[in-house]
Amino acid sequence: MKFKIKFTIRHVFRYLYVFLILANFVVLYSIVNFAKEYVYQAIIMDQNELMQASRGVGDINVEKFEAIIKKIEQKSIH
């Protein structure tokens, strides 16, 4: 039994084309995972931190804050 292996330019380009298509899927999958982990999660975490910070503002007594500012202004005048 003899096997004849024929490699023509057409076959080489066909295999190269298929390989490039598969490589593109791998690269796209990697890019999507990277963006999801490092970009999307960072945006969600920033929004959560902003929401927590905005909730904390309600705990500040504005009258006390204004009184402290007035005392600082009085000390800076003298």
Side-chain angles (χ1 to χ4, degrees), residues 2-78:
K2 289 187 177 181
F3 291 107
K4 292 184 179 180
I5 299 174
K6 292 183 181 180
F7 283 108
T8 61
I9 297 295
R10 187 176 187 177
H11 287 104
V12 171
F13 281 117
R14 182 181 297 162
Y15 292 130
L16 183 65
Y17 185 71
V18 170
F19 174 75
L20 288 175
I21 289 173
L22 294 175
N24 282 329
F25 283 122
V26 171
V27 169
L28 284 174
Y29 178 76
S30 300
I31 289 172
V32 167
N33 279 340
F34 177 83
K36 184 173 125 184
E37 185 173 339
Y38 292 106
V39 177
Y40 179 72
Q41 290 297 331
I43 291 171
I44 295 299
M45 290 178 74
D46 288 344
Q47 286 178 350
N48 289 337
E49 290 175 7
L50 287 173
M51 289 176 64
Q52 288 175 355
S54 66
R55 288 185 200 137
V57 172
D59 297 338
I60 296 174
N61 188 352
V62 177
E63 294 172 1
K64 249 185 179 180
F65 184 69
E66 288 177 357
I68 293 171
I69 291 177
K70 285 181 184 178
K71 287 181 184 178
I72 293 172
E73 286 176 351
Q74 289 174 356
K75 287 184 181 179
S76 65
I77 292 173
H78 296 291

